[in-house]
């Protein structure tokens, strides 16, 4: 039997990755390599964040501090669907 359900949290992780990319560009970082440098991360590690990889909350906090936004502002517009099958 095939599993027709997407991987858990995949849609949410993609939405977070898209928001991260939008905020990076809005702050003037046209290239992900520059923000990776400022965050003291490898380019590949940061690139994974913008492609939907799961990451730690402390990394998100570090990014929000650099971008000078609150966690609340970061998550504005990201919809997390309610589910009774969690």
């Amino acid at each position: 039997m095939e599993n027709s359900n997407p991987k858990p949290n995949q849609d949410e992780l993609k939405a977070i990755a898209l928001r991260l990319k939008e905020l990076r560009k809005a702050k003037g970082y046209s290239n992900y390599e520059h923000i990776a440098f400022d965050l003291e991360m490898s380019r590949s590690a940061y690139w994974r964040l913008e492609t939907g990889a799961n990451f730690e909350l402390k990394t998100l906090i570090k990014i929000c501090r650099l971008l000078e936004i609150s966690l609340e502002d970061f998550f504005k517009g990201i919809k997390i669907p309610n589910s009774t099958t969690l």
Side-chain angles (χ1 to χ4, degrees):
M1 175 169 37
E2 280 186 43
N3 184 359
S4 62
N5 293 333
K7 289 182 181 179
N9 306 320
Q10 194 65 29
D11 291 338
E12 292 87 349
L13 290 173
K14 285 183 180 182
I16 290 169
L18 178 62
R19 180 74 171 143
L20 184 58
K21 187 175 185 177
E22 290 170 349
L23 291 170
R24 169 182 57 84
K25 288 182 176 185
K27 194 65 176 178
Y29 289 97
S30 59
N31 188 316
Y32 76 90
E33 294 172 341
H34 296 137
I35 193 170
F37 178 81
D38 285 349
L39 289 166
E40 299 176 352
M41 297 176 73
S42 70
R43 294 178 312 213
S44 61
Y46 184 83
W47 177 81
R48 285 191 298 272
L49 302 180
E50 284 197 9
T51 58
N54 197 355
F55 60 96
E56 294 183 358
L57 187 56
K58 66 182 181 181
T59 303
L60 179 59
I61 291 168
K62 186 175 181 179
I63 292 167
C64 286
R65 284 183 178 153
L66 179 69
L67 297 176
E68 299 175 331
I69 62 167
S70 67
L71 287 170
E72 181 181 359
D73 287 339
F74 180 87
F75 285 105
K76 279 185 182 170
I78 296 177
K79 302 293 183 198
I80 304 294
N82 293 331
S83 176
T84 58
T85 60
L86 294 178

